[in-house]
Amino acid sequence: MSEPTSRREFLERPGATVAASPVGVPSVLLPDGDDVLGVALCGLGNYATTQLAPGLQKTEHCALRGIVTGFPEKSPRWQRRYDIPGSNVYSYDTLPEISNNAALDEVYVVTPPGFHARDAIRAAEAGKHVWCEKPMAMTASECRAVIDAAEKNGG
């Protein structure tokens, strides 16, 4: 049996830089007729505010098009700053309604870790692809529930 490869060893291998770098979005994820994925940030805390939203402004294949928040008072500022229409603003309770929004392809879950499973499952059940910050969930059974919801709903 061979020894496990460290991250450093992997990255030093020829071709690994391409495999490990964000060289683009796989075409299978891109919606028909559009070369940009509409992303909704679920959770508007510090990481979403200072890292993710500004980062999405620099991407070629993703655009911040929606938000999901538990604090409605944050919505107007985000809407103005990122030109997000009211139809792309959701609360945690209305997240399932995102299923009817063709402008949003992905839900990026950045709520506190204890809520990751709840929000990822709701987004997957709404038929959206889900990106989730680590940890994916708090327990192995929650992780399994997220995976099952994504597989069941094509996300």
Side-chain angles (χ1 to χ4, degrees):
M1 180 181 264
S2 64
E3 292 291 316
T5 303
S6 72
R7 182 175 182 272
R8 179 182 301 269
E9 291 168 330
F10 173 77
L11 292 174
E12 289 173 347
R13 290 183 180 168
T17 303
V18 173
S21 68
V23 295
V25 176
S27 61
V28 70
L29 292 180
L30 293 175
D32 292 336
D34 195 354
D35 60 352
V36 176
L37 291 171
V39 177
L41 288 178
C42 180
L44 304 181
N46 184 59
Y47 186 58
T49 302
T50 64
Q51 301 294 315
L52 297 178
L56 283 167
Q57 303 310 299
K58 298 176 182 180
T59 64
E60 184 178 338
H61 296 289
C62 297
L64 176 55
R65 292 186 180 157
I67 54 174
V68 181
T69 182
F71 299 93
E73 63 274 10
K74 292 183 179 183
S75 299
R77 185 181 76 231
W78 279 75
Q79 287 180 265
R80 282 190 306 275
R81 183 164 186 183
Y82 297 106
D83 195 27
I84 297 171
S87 59
N88 291 0
V89 175
Y90 297 88
S91 70
Y92 299 130
D93 292 334
T94 63
L95 178 57
E97 296 171 19
I98 205 168
S99 64
N100 301 319
N101 193 328
L104 301 172
D105 306 295
E106 309 280 338
V107 176
Y108 192 151
V109 177
V110 286
T111 50
F115 298 109
H116 285 184
R118 175 199 72 184
D119 299 329
I121 290 167
R122 285 181 181 169
E125 288 176 344
K128 301 301 179 179
H129 292 285
V130 178
W131 296 336
C132 190
E133 279 300 314
K134 61 183 187 274
M136 183 167 106
M138 300 306 292
T139 66
S141 61
E142 284 183 347
C143 288
R144 174 48 51 201
V146 171
I147 293 167
D148 291 346
E151 288 175 346
K152 179 181 177 185
N153 296 289

